[in-house]
Amino acid sequence: MIEVRGLTRYYGDHPAAVDLSFTISSNEVVGFLGLNGAGKSTTLKILAGLLLPSAGSVRIGGVDLLEAPDSIRARIGFLPEEPPLYRDMRVSDFIQYVGQLKGMPKAEVLARLPGVLKQCNIADVADRVISELSLGYRKRVGIAQAIIHKPQLVILDEPISGLDPRQIREMRDLIVGLKRDSTVLVSSHILPEISQTCDRILVLAGGRLVAEGTEEELASHMTSSNRVQVSVRGSADAVKAALGALTWVTQVDVHAQHGDVVSFNATLDGDRREELAAALIKAGLGLRRLDAASGELEEIFLNLTKEARA
Amino acid sequence: MSGLLLVARRELGAYLNSLWGYLVAAIMLVIDGLLFNAFALGKTARYSSDVLEDFFYFSFGTTVITAVLLTMRLLAEERQTGTIVLVDSSPLSDWQIVGGKFLSALVFLGGVTFISLYMPALIFVNGKVSVAHIASGYLGLMLVASATTAIGTFGSAVAKSQLVAAVISGVIVVLALISWLLAKVTDPPLAEMFSYMSLFERHFQPFQRGRINTEDVVFYLSITFVFLLMSTRVLSARRWR
């Protein structure tokens, strides 16, 4: 569906995106994860046909963006971080207008309109003027304008920024629902959203692609230190006594004791989780939980971006 | 063509749904009416054709100012509010976008201009002027509206804010208005060039007097085309870079 090769974009001397290469399959939801200034918005704007790349190629549906930009634009729906809305228009009129602007015949737009309003959960405000809507509704109207023309690719730049928890949940469901008809690219620096809505994650730092894969793949990538988090029934002293004699346990950090359950992180010399479990049980400590400590997406993200910056 | 009309319809709706459109239209008509009453009609007996000429003289000024005020928002506002993304990411050509926006402002301005028709109608009913004289004057006004709207569209395409757009368009229009003064203080061939560029002095006065010259029609249409062409070039350069 999308094939990006060596994509580079400079603003003056500053590289915003450097030698990005990735492919995205049809009906996949892919998240662009990165800190502010990582190059997410620049990359998305290039894919949306709004910015010219300084170097590299982008093919969408087999068509080169530079060779047929208008044809590509008609197949893309784009929602920037700040929804581009004509605030003097009514919601349904606005969505209809954008559909036609994207080249869809009026009759087809009108036929699709009720479904899109329902899908985006804005049917109840269809006749209201956009300036009267809350941010949550405006974001959803922004998504409606991005999908009204049935695009093959939907690009959403920070779609959940500024939303409250209830609106975030609704937006998450909406984004996941979009993959039925389209490939979806979502950028965010809010990590749980990327993890919960995307099939795959591309991590950007300093304009470079530093990692890509599913959450699990990224987690496994980062577990080379073999840090594990463990909860056992027993005391902190008993844990230290049991593990202190093991040469392959290089570090133990007890961080919580709730009743008779103690939680700690341990650093192992290799992936020796089975041996650790056996040692704890042998020491008479009731094993409650043993997990990879670096499995948290936030930690993966920070480690990856730290590596890239270093 | 359908893309052009789509943009034009949306922009026309923006004028009709906003206070700004009505405010500018009202101010134009009030000033036009006051000038007509105070100066064109005057306090002494005058020939009807002189009154009509003066009406078109004042209407020229109000039309030019209104064009600048109406067009300053066309592209600059979209850039300010971020809605330019909708236009930029659409498959419409630069000509369709610029043409649609130009057409909306021209249609709105034309509508407002024709509301002033009651003043020539009063002269027609109470005096002695020909319909052809009135028609000629209004054709001139529409051509001036077309040229200044194109200049305003260009100003709005260049500027990032509406205020700057109005200033750029205003400066271009004023330069075109006073070019006949430059013609007086320069030697040929510059004098002839400046004289030809005069927006009012050389090209509008014939319409004002009820005469239609092909040269004047071509002049205003050329100005329109050149500034629309420049607008598309500016949009193209900014749209995908």
Side-chain angles (χ1 to χ4, degrees):
Chain A
M1 171 66 195
I2 303 173
E3 196 180 338
V4 174
R5 290 283 165 264
L7 188 70
T8 302
R9 166 73 198 203
Y10 280 89
Y11 291 113
D13 293 335
H14 172 71
V18 184
D19 199 23
L20 299 178
S21 295
F22 54 86
T23 54
I24 295 170
S25 312
S26 296
N27 299 88
E28 201 178 8
V29 181
V30 174
F32 279 77
L33 184 62
L35 299 170
N36 289 334
K40 305 185 298 288
S41 293
T42 298
T43 307
L44 294 185
K45 280 181 183 169
I46 292 172
L47 295 177
L50 290 168
L51 273 180
L52 268 175
S54 306
S57 69
V58 177
R59 294 180 76 83
I60 297 175
V63 180
D64 193 298
L65 178 65
L66 293 178
E67 284 173 10
D70 288 344
S71 155
I72 296 278
R73 283 177 187 141
R75 296 194 228 170
I76 292 175
F78 179 53
L79 172 67
E81 185 172 358
E82 184 61 35
L85 308 172
Y86 292 121
R87 296 182 173 222
D88 58 303
M89 293 180 88
R90 294 184 189 281
V91 170
S92 56
D93 292 342
F94 170 71
I95 297 168
Q96 184 189 325
Y97 169 70
V98 177
Q100 289 182 263
L101 199 65
K102 288 286 188 176
M104 189 176 241
K106 187 178 178 182
E108 216 173 312
V109 173
L110 289 174
R112 254 182 77 74
L113 188 59
V116 170
L117 291 172
K118 193 178 168 196
Q119 186 179 3
C120 297
N121 203 13
I122 50 174
D124 55 330
V125 295
D127 293 327
R128 288 193 35 202
V129 177
I130 291 172
S131 62
E132 297 170 356
L133 301 180
S134 66
L135 177 64
Y137 270 116
R138 289 206 302 272
K139 287 267 187 186
R140 276 183 274 164
V141 173
I143 291 193
Q145 64 81 24
I147 63 171
I148 183 66
H149 58 295
K150 218 174 177 180
Q152 292 176 336
L153 173 63
V154 179
I155 300 173
L156 310 173
D157 193 1
E158 305 274 1
I160 52 169
S161 67
L163 300 183
D164 64 33
R166 184 179 59 82
Q167 292 169 330
I168 288 175
R169 197 171 62 242
E170 290 171 354
M171 184 62 75
R172 193 187 302 147
D173 295 340
L174 176 55
I175 293 170
V176 171
L178 293 178
K179 71 183 276 187
R180 277 199 307 271
D181 301 316
S182 311
T183 302
V184 185
L185 301 187
V186 185
S187 84
S188 180
H189 57 268
I190 302 174
L191 315 181
E193 290 316 312
I194 287 286
S195 136
Q196 289 175 47
T197 53
C198 298
D199 302 323
R200 201 151 59 90
I201 300 167
L202 304 181
V203 184
L204 297 178
R208 294 174 190 277
L209 183 64
V210 294
E212 66 173 294
T214 61
E215 185 185 354
E216 292 73 28
E217 286 167 349
L218 292 177
S220 66
H221 172 71
M222 287 307 297
T223 51
S224 57
S225 63
N226 289 292
R227 271 177 72 77
V228 291
Q229 52 188 27
V230 188
S231 295
V232 293
R233 189 180 297 281
S235 67
D237 289 339
V239 168
K240 284 177 182 169
L243 302 182
L246 303 175
T247 53
W248 43 270
V249 179
T250 54
Q251 193 181 346
V252 177
D253 301 314
V254 176
H255 57 78
Q257 171 100 46
H258 298 293
D260 61 347
V261 175
V262 61
S263 298
F264 62 94
N265 285 344
T267 305
L268 312 179
D269 179 14
D271 186 4
R272 308 177 79 151
R273 280 174 286 183
E274 292 90 341
E275 290 167 64
L276 178 65
L280 290 169
I281 292 166
K282 190 176 173 188
L285 296 162
L287 184 59
R288 305 286 298 270
R289 178 187 176 202
L290 196 156
D291 203 356
S294 55
E296 294 297 324
L297 186 61
E298 194 155 350
E299 192 172 341
I300 299 168
F301 171 56
L302 290 174
N303 284 336
L304 286 168
T305 52
K306 194 162 62 185
E307 276 179 6
R309 285 197 300 273
Chain B
M1 189 62 187
S2 62
L4 185 149
L5 292 177
L6 184 72
V7 174
R9 248 198 330 269
R10 141 74 206 149
E11 293 299 323
L12 195 57
Y15 284 125
L16 296 173
N17 287 331
S18 72
L19 182 65
W20 180 245
Y22 290 105
L23 198 65
V24 171
I27 291 172
M28 176 192 175
L29 289 169
V30 166
I31 292 176
D32 216 11
L34 288 175
L35 291 172
F36 176 71
N37 189 48
F39 299 107
L41 287 177
K43 288 178 180 168
T44 57
R46 305 182 69 200
Y47 287 115
S48 302
S49 60
D50 290 344
V51 175
L52 189 60
E53 271 185 46
D54 281 356
F55 163 75
F56 284 126
Y57 173 76
F58 294 123
S59 293
F60 173 90
T62 53
T63 301
V64 166
I65 293 168
T66 309
V68 170
L69 293 176
L70 285 177
T71 52
M72 65 190 216
R73 57 165 288 279
L74 286 178
L75 284 154
E77 186 186 39
E78 298 238 36
R79 222 167 266 132
Q80 274 179 310
T81 59
T83 51
I84 194 79
V85 167
L86 293 173
V87 178
D88 284 349
S89 63
S90 77
L92 295 188
S93 70
D94 299 328
W95 267 109
Q96 285 175 310
I97 297 164
V98 168
K101 287 181 175 286
F102 163 79
L103 186 64
S104 68
L106 185 62
V107 167
F108 188 80
L109 181 54
V112 177
T113 303
F114 278 102
I115 293 176
S116 70
L117 196 62
Y118 73 92
M119 288 179 269
L122 283 173
I123 305 171
F124 184 78
V125 171
N126 296 303
K128 194 176 178 184
V129 289
S130 69
V131 174
H133 188 172
I134 296 173
S136 157
Y138 270 96
L139 175 65
L141 284 180
M142 283 315 297
L143 287 167
V144 167
S146 171
T148 48
T149 299
I151 292 171
T153 305
F154 171 72
S156 193
V158 170
K160 285 186 177 168
S161 78
Q162 297 187 59
L163 189 63
V164 176
V167 170
I168 291 171
S169 313
V171 167
I172 296 171
V173 167
V174 168
L175 285 176
L177 284 172
I178 63 167
S179 68
W180 66 277
L181 284 173
L182 294 172
K184 285 184 188 275
V185 294
T186 49
D187 296 322
L190 276 181
E192 183 56 27
M193 190 188 83
F194 283 130
S195 171
Y196 183 76
M197 291 302 294
S198 172
L199 205 59
F200 173 79
E201 193 73 9
R202 176 159 167 176
H203 298 288
F204 187 72
Q205 282 183 347
F207 291 109
Q208 197 183 339
R209 291 170 185 149
R211 220 172 44 240
I212 299 173
N213 296 331
T214 311
E215 176 204 3
D216 303 324
V217 175
V218 169
F219 170 77
Y220 285 122
L221 292 180
S222 303
I223 293 281
T224 303
F225 176 75
V226 167
F227 277 93
L228 288 183
L229 179 67
M230 290 199 295
S231 303
T232 61
R233 295 299 91 200
V234 172
L235 186 67
S236 172
R238 293 208 166 155
R239 195 176 177 191
W240 203 34
R241 59 174 183 167

